[in-house]
Amino acid sequence: MLNVHLVAHTHDDVGWLKTVDQYYYGTRNDIQHAGVQYILDSVISALLAEPTRRFIYVEMAFFCRWWHQQTNATQEAVRNLVRQGRLEFTNGGWVMNDEAATHYGAIVDQMTLGLRFLEDTFGKDGRPRVAWHIDPFGHSREQASLFAQMGFDGFFFGRLDYQDKLARKGRQEMELIWRASASLKPPTADLFTGVLPNMYNPPSNLCWDVLCTDKPVVDDPRSPEYNAKELVSYFLQLATAQGQYYRTNHTVMTMGSDFQYENANMWFKNLDKLIRLVNAQQKANGSRVHVLYSTPACYLRELNKANITWSVKEDDFFPYADGPHMFWTGYFSSRPALKRYERLSYNFLQTCNQLEALVGPAANTGPYGSGASAPLNEAVAVLQHHDAVSGTSKQHVADDYARQLAAGWEPCEVLVSNALAWLSRSKEAFSFCHSLNVSICPISQTSAHFQVTIYNPLGRKVDHMVRLPVREGSFLVKDPSGKAVPSEVVALPSYDTQEHSPELVFSASVPALGFSTYLVDRVPGRGPQARSLQDITQQKSPSHVLAIENEYLRATFDPDTGLLMKIGTTDQNLVLPVSQGFFWYNASTGDSVSSQVSGAYIFRPSRQEPFPVSRCAQTRLVKTALVQEVHQNFSAWCSQVVRLYPGRRHLELEWTVGPIPVGDGWGKEVISRFDTPLETRGYFYTDSNGREVLKRRRDYRPTWKLNQTEPVAGNYYPVNSRIYISDGQVQLTVVTDRSQGGSSLRDGSLELMVHRRLLVDDARGVEEPLLESGSGVWVRGRHLVLLDAVRGAAAGHRLLAEKELLAPQVVLAAGGGPAYHPEATRLTQFSGLTRELPPTVRLLTLARWGPGVLLLRLEHQFAVGEDSGRNLSSPVTVDLRGLFSTFTITGLTETTLAANQLRASASRLKWTPDTGFTSRPAPPALDPTSITLQPMEIRTFLASVHWKKNS
């Protein structure tokens, strides 16, 4: 008997063609007919009307809002449906997150937020057993690893590369075991994974929604519209054909699609009839097909009971193409300003969470008003949606995503101010300079005296270069102990008519999970430092070797072209010719081979070779004791500063691109490219969601024979935090400050797409070209370049990427504010830790969970084989006793990754891979004095705490 599991569902994008609120309330139906509140109203009514019906729901951003608007009676009815398993939550994150442009920390946070709501509202009845990513455009290995660590039994997705799908159907490998980590011992990161047969839509002719035009089931033989017999026969053929591609006598059909079930009765009435009519054929004609209302969890349990062995996959599902010349690799880079704003917001959210945890209730209510982390937590969660950070929404929706982030920052700024005042015992008028990336900060530009407080969210001390726009002149900077520290005022060379503020530069040392406060005074009467002899800004002269260097690195530039020519390390004696420049691909608008154009989703250049923005750069050199810079101007819309600070082992390339000119009628996709003589044999490496690193090979897929139709776009991969190339001895790594698309299209070369501006829509539903207006047209970002011997490279890029992600937060104040309470002595330096964490350990989460309870996640941030000669790939043990300076841990419970199950009692379905069964090790006994982390392991705890009094 073939069992056909009908899964009634709706796919509700948390923003896409309409904003989140427009979708929820059903406004702007002129854009798209969709109203989530009506969908949920209607589904609940239909479920209550007939006890055999079942339905699944996924997006908690919508469900949580709807739930809080219901009467007690409706809530009770819904609780009963959940208890009976008739309304089942699947996936359960705040959103269904993108998998290419998302960082793993933000994925964990948004899943935790949604699952927490379900746990609090429905207890274990509401806990989703199955992960469900039916719409994201390609699937990352790290996502599967995270789902496994969250305790999911399995994972279903909709979109699979068209060539991969064909091959898998032929081999009956549409369902498999995904081994999602090269470091965690199986089956820790093993996840049963199924590819749905029809993406996530109903089979053709079987869509019974108000949005569809298929004929309903007419089962009255007297009616001239009677079609029941024909429909049943069609369904039986369909089920049998589909069943051939799967290995058990169970198959699944998704009955629903985007924003469907606004009139749920229409769907369910027809499904009721279909089930009754098809099942009647068993007695009538000996049919071997049985149809039932089901859910992904129910279907998965049946697959598990089949007790067969499954093939194992170890790579990922990128890049995704839905046809020849149709690679969804453009969205890896679309809307780079929004991608950066999301990353900055994640950074600030961690600062906000940590200070709320360290200070306790005084952070929420204090001298600056009511502070809260929840609004920013929800806004950053919304941004993880697969049409948000991906850059694949309409322009007005992207604007609304930015609005939500900005609204979330405000209560966090109040919280951070309250916390800093409490910890420093001084009430200052704190000011957050949001426009430092364009050298604007009113307080530093207008005040003769101000203080700079730098908060460090890392578990180790950092030395951070502070750069603040000031008026010309000289300044005296004092550290927390009152000692003067070296500082410079650097005049920025200007290529345009716009005058740039000079910048005050000094190095600040900031303790782990803590702050340092520096005082800045303008020195009257002294001329501008920025014009002193060694700082002179000079034009290149042909005889002059243009170079910048510190104690570790030397970067040399071609005196004729002004382009980077060579990087050398002094401590390792490595020298690598590296040429770096900017190029642009001409975006295809369709051709004789394919009508596919380049757009928000799709990358398709009209030719393989990009055009140089310019073959040479106008350069100026700035050299001071604290920074050395080469300013390169490539064109009116493209420039870069190559920068080296003392004591740094990386070169910083700060690029500025935009507005990209499109007056010539050509859409452009701009890349930064590094060319070297390294013999890389077609291989390069990219990170997976900022965590483990995957080996890539040009024009190749590990699990099927690729027919490459797009030699550029078909070799692009998501780069969340780093990309590198190596010849086995020397490694060149570029760390990014946001998600971008990247590749190595020829040996020794590495490129990252920094910006794109396109004139035609790519026909994937947005119906709008990616032609940003407003602040998004002009983008500034940074690439951090490391040159290392391969054996030591991981230590460099792992720790640098961590510092980039969790950069210090700089807060200014005029200074001289009143004491927090009369007898308080001011603190100018503070650490939330009594001892630093070892370099292998990242404090992934420190956040308020409930009254007197904190959420704590510790992770080993090195993978197996990344030892770097420093033992960094070994297990590491942390003692939590007395680790935090502001509170004492009085109780500790270990949970799964999303903190919705106790680790000791969590169990997942067991599967047998064709590599042989591996039993799951018992969780280690919990000992707060000895928390051991294996490479790439994350451990999650709920800690009962007692805050110490502020003395």
Side-chain angles (χ1 to χ4, degrees):
M1 186 73 76
L2 176 66
N3 297 284
V4 183
H5 295 250
L6 303 183
V7 175
H9 80 106
T10 177
H11 175 63
D12 297 347
D13 289 305
V14 184
W16 179 40
L17 308 181
K18 306 203 291 189
T19 68
V20 182
D21 284 71
Q22 288 166 354
Y23 272 137
Y24 179 76
Y25 287 108
T27 58
R28 293 303 308 269
N29 278 351
D30 55 315
I31 299 174
Q32 181 186 11
H33 186 97
V36 175
Q37 59 170 340
Y38 307 124
I39 292 171
L40 289 164
D41 290 344
S42 183
V43 165
I44 298 307
S45 299
L47 290 176
L48 292 170
E50 167 53 56
T52 60
R53 296 170 176 172
R54 302 179 79 176
F55 191 82
I56 65 163
Y57 200 75
V58 178
E59 295 86 6
M60 290 310 110
F62 286 133
F63 189 86
C64 176
R65 185 185 292 208
W66 177 84
W67 175 260
H68 290 304
Q69 293 174 0
Q70 302 313 301
T71 62
N72 290 346
T74 302
Q75 289 186 350
E76 199 41 51
V78 172
R79 279 199 180 92
N80 280 329
L81 290 171
V82 173
R83 246 192 308 275
Q84 294 158 15
R86 294 174 49 220
L87 174 62
E88 186 173 286
F89 296 106
T90 303
N91 208 68
W94 202 245
V95 298
M96 183 185 296
N97 64 258
D98 176 54
E99 299 189 37
T102 41
H103 190 272
Y104 74 95
I107 293 173
V108 171
D109 282 356
Q110 81 84 12
M111 286 300 300
T112 302
L113 183 64
L115 293 171
R116 171 96 196 261
F117 163 75
L118 286 174
E119 185 68 26
D120 288 351
T121 311
F122 302 103
K124 69 172 191 301
D125 294 332
R127 178 164 66 79
R129 299 323 200 248
V130 173
W132 181 257
H133 269 202
I134 53 179
D135 196 25
F137 332 124
H139 302 280
S140 76
R141 195 176 76 174
E142 191 57 41
Q143 180 76 54
S145 175
L146 297 174
F147 277 152
Q149 294 173 67
M150 286 171 191
F152 284 104
D153 285 324
F155 175 35
F156 293 101
F157 66 73
R159 295 184 185 271
L160 176 68
D161 184 281
Y162 73 105
Q163 293 182 42
D164 193 3
K165 189 168 188 175
L166 209 62
R168 285 187 180 280
K169 283 168 98 169
R171 299 194 306 260
Q172 277 197 334
E173 283 186 5
M174 293 282 276
E175 291 163 334
L176 56 123
I177 287 174
W178 198 348
R179 183 147 290 163
S181 170
S183 288
L184 298 170
K185 284 201 176 75
T188 307
D190 286 4
L191 188 66
F192 182 90
T193 301
V195 184
L196 296 167
N198 197 33
M199 210 162 77
Y200 59 88
N201 300 309
S204 30
N205 305 318
L206 302 182
C207 183
W208 294 304
D209 194 78
V210 284
L211 301 171
C212 302
T213 54
D214 294 347
K215 290 177 186 165
V217 182
V218 182
D219 55 348
D220 178 358
R222 293 166 303 181
S223 167
E225 296 294 320
Y226 176 71
N227 63 357
K229 195 172 175 185
E230 185 192 338
L231 260 179
V232 166
S233 156
Y234 168 71
F235 183 87
L236 290 171
Q237 279 174 298
L238 192 78
T240 311
Q242 181 179 301
Q244 290 171 354
Y245 301 123
Y246 292 84
R247 290 180 57 211
T248 71
N249 62 334
H250 293 268
T251 191
V252 65
M253 289 183 186
T254 42
M255 304 311 266
S257 192
D258 291 8
F259 298 97
Q260 294 197 357
Y261 285 79
E262 196 170 304
N263 179 352
N265 180 54
M266 205 168 150
W267 251 118
F268 280 120
K269 195 166 194 169
N270 285 284
L271 289 174
D272 289 346
K273 288 181 181 178
L274 180 76
I275 291 170
R276 179 172 51 76
L277 291 165
V278 171
N279 288 345
Q281 294 299 301
Q282 293 165 26
K283 269 193 184 143
N285 297 318
S287 159
R288 307 280 299 145
V289 174
H290 178 69
V291 196
L292 66 154
Y293 277 118
S294 187
T295 67
C298 178
Y299 173 61
L300 187 72
R301 276 195 299 275
E302 294 303 325
L303 297 182
N304 186 255
K305 281 182 202 161
N307 210 13
I308 55 181
T309 61
W310 303 90
S311 64
V312 173
K313 179 180 173 71
E314 295 186 346
D315 59 316
D316 64 2
F317 290 98
F318 282 122
Y320 162 64
D322 56 356
H325 309 286
M326 300 172 179
F327 282 92
W328 296 47
T329 54
Y331 80 96
F332 299 165
S333 313
S334 297
R335 300 196 187 279
L338 186 66
K339 281 177 163 65
R340 178 63 182 151
Y341 193 18
E342 178 278 326
R343 192 62 61 89
L344 277 172
S345 300
Y346 173 79
N347 185 171
F348 187 50
L349 175 61
Q350 302 317 305
T351 292
C352 184
N353 282 340
Q354 289 179 4
L355 285 168
E356 188 174 29
L358 287 169
V359 168
N364 301 108
T365 320
Y368 306 91
S370 289
S373 57
L376 186 57
N377 194 16
E378 287 182 22
V380 173
V382 165
L383 261 286
Q384 307 314 310
H385 166 61
H386 58 269
D387 290 304
V389 69
S390 56
T392 55
S393 69
K394 280 190 181 286
Q395 182 64 50
H396 82 279
V397 180
D399 294 342
D400 187 68
Y401 286 135
R403 178 200 63 78
Q404 290 184 59
L405 289 174
W409 276 65
E410 286 178 17
C412 257
E413 288 179 2
V414 173
L415 188 153
V416 168
S417 300
N418 284 338
L420 288 177
W422 191 85
L423 291 168
S424 65
R425 305 168 191 167
S426 167
K427 292 187 266 196
E428 303 294 341
F430 291 116
S431 168
F432 296 80
C433 289
H434 295 145
S435 303
L436 285 175
N437 66 329
V438 289
S439 299
I440 295 172
C441 180
I443 191 164
S444 63
Q445 285 168 300
T446 56
S447 308
H449 170 89
F450 57 93
Q451 69 174 45
V452 184
T453 298
I454 306 108
Y455 177 82
N456 167 27
L458 292 182
R460 284 167 293 291
K461 91 170 177 71
V462 292
D463 293 319
H464 179 66
M465 273 295 176
V466 178
R467 291 185 78 114
L468 296 169
V470 289
R471 284 179 304 174
E472 288 193 352
S474 284
F475 291 83
L476 176 66
V477 180
K478 290 180 180 171
D479 72 8
S481 67
K483 211 167 97 214
V485 296
S487 65
E488 303 271 2
V489 175
V490 179
L492 303 181
S494 186
Y495 296 105
D496 46 36
T497 50
Q498 188 190 347
E499 272 302 304
H500 294 288
S501 250
E503 292 190 342
L504 172 68
V505 180
F506 65 92
S507 177
S509 178
V510 195
L513 221 66
F515 67 79
S516 294
T517 299
Y518 285 71
L519 294 180
V520 179
D521 281 292
R522 194 184 166 85
V523 181
R526 283 196 12 217
Q529 273 174 310
R531 298 276 179 261
S532 67
L533 196 63
Q534 88 255 37
D535 309 340
I536 195 141
T537 308
Q538 57 195 40
Q539 293 293 144
K540 61 181 180 5
S541 64
S543 61
H544 185 68
V545 174
L546 194 58
I548 54 176
E549 62 188 312
N550 68 7
E551 60 270 48
Y552 300 116
L553 281 177
R554 179 180 168 88
T556 314
F557 297 77
D558 184 315
D560 298 318
T561 65
L563 301 184
L564 180 65
M565 189 170 71
K566 190 165 65 183
I567 302 175
T569 66
T570 47
D571 57 338
Q572 299 178 62
N573 290 325
L574 299 174
V575 177
L576 183 68
V578 180
S579 163
Q580 183 271 339
F582 291 91
F583 300 81
W584 58 274
Y585 290 106
N586 180 15
S588 176
T589 52
D591 55 27
S592 58
V593 180
S594 165
S595 61
Q596 183 60 58
V597 311
S598 221
Y601 300 89
I602 308 288
F603 173 33
R604 186 175 184 232
S606 63
R607 51 175 238 169
Q608 275 181 248
E609 269 306 304
F611 299 92
V613 170
S614 170
R615 297 197 182 278
C616 57
Q618 186 188 352
T619 60
R620 303 201 176 167
L621 182 66
V622 173
K623 277 194 175 183
T624 77
L626 287 183
V627 65
Q628 299 191 7
E629 298 175 341
V630 173
H631 292 244
Q632 299 171 311
N633 196 44
F634 295 92
S635 76
W637 56 272
C638 179
S639 63
Q640 180 170 259
V641 180
V642 183
R643 186 178 285 133
L644 198 50
Y645 290 115
R648 299 292 193 270
R649 294 177 182 269
H650 65 271
L651 198 60
E652 178 180 311
L653 278 59
E654 186 177 60
W655 45 268
T656 304
V657 172
I660 298 171
V662 288
D664 52 10
W666 287 6
K668 297 178 181 65
E669 327 214 26
V670 183
I671 61 165
S672 170
R673 193 174 80 196
F674 299 78
D675 292 308
T676 77
L678 289 175
E679 291 179 17
T680 52
R681 305 191 314 283
Y683 292 102
F684 58 106
Y685 300 80
T686 64
D687 68 281
S688 182
N689 302 106
R691 205 147 186 268
E692 294 196 31
V693 172
L694 273 74
K695 187 177 190 174
R696 309 295 190 184
R697 183 173 158 195
R698 201 158 51 247
D699 296 328
Y700 176 78
R701 303 291 185 266
T703 56
W704 86 90
K705 191 169 183 344
L706 173 69
N707 170 29
Q708 181 62 278
T709 59
E710 287 288 324
V712 177
N715 283 307
Y716 256 63
Y717 288 88
V719 177
N720 222 278
S721 62
R722 74 211 78 183
I723 180 171
Y724 60 81
I725 51 174
S726 144
D727 64 358
Q729 303 299 313
V730 174
Q731 178 170 317
L732 182 74
T733 308
V734 180
V735 171
T736 63
D737 67 348
R738 75 199 72 194
S739 286
Q740 295 175 327
S743 189
S744 170
L745 296 177
R746 54 172 184 250
D747 283 3
S749 177
L750 177 161
E751 66 185 59
L752 287 155
M753 190 177 288
V754 295
H755 204 353
R756 52 204 307 258
R757 199 169 185 209
L758 307 166
L759 299 173
V760 192
D761 173 67
D762 56 7
R764 291 304 181 279
V766 174
E767 296 180 348
E768 208 178 76
L770 186 70
L771 190 63
E772 288 187 276
S773 55
S775 56
V777 300
W778 195 71
V779 180
R780 176 168 287 167
R782 297 185 314 146
H783 287 149
L784 309 180
V785 181
L786 291 154
L787 178 65
D788 280 299
V790 165
R791 65 181 179 276
H797 71 72
R798 286 274 176 212
L799 298 173
L800 184 59
E802 183 193 28
K803 279 182 186 160
E804 179 59 37
L805 176 77
L806 294 174
Q809 183 66 42
V810 177
V811 185
L812 277 70
Y820 196 84
H821 43 79
E823 57 281 3
T825 39
R826 288 162 200 247
L827 272 188
T828 52
Q829 196 163 42
F830 159 83
S831 175
L833 297 181
T834 57
R835 53 189 177 274
E836 288 194 359
L837 292 173
T840 41
V841 178
R842 174 185 293 178
L843 178 66
L844 180 58
T845 310
L846 178 65
R848 179 82 62 78
W849 187 256
V853 182
L854 302 181
L855 176 63
L856 171 66
R857 286 191 188 95
L858 295 170
E859 100 174 91
H860 195 311
Q861 61 176 346
F862 283 80
V864 167
E866 293 185 337
D867 228 53
S868 303
R870 290 167 54 184
N871 226 16
L872 297 174
S873 289
S874 302
V876 60
T877 299
V878 178
D879 182 355
L880 292 181
R881 269 180 320 182
L883 177 62
F884 296 94
S885 63
T886 61
F887 59 80
T888 311
I889 295 176
T890 57
L892 199 66
T893 311
E894 186 163 11
T895 67
T896 50
L897 182 57
N900 66 334
Q901 298 175 69
L902 295 178
R903 182 172 173 184
S905 56
S907 68
R908 295 167 64 209
L909 292 179
K910 294 178 174 61
W911 303 88
T912 308
D914 59 13
T915 53
F917 181 74
T918 40
S919 62
R920 198 174 302 279
L926 184 53
D927 175 3
T929 67
S930 170
I931 303 293
T932 300
L933 297 161
Q934 303 297 327
M936 280 288 131
E937 184 179 18
I938 304 174
R939 291 183 68 180
T940 305
F941 306 95
L942 293 177
S944 302
V945 301
H946 175 70
W947 283 280
K948 298 171 185 173
K949 282 201 166 60
N950 189 349
S951 54

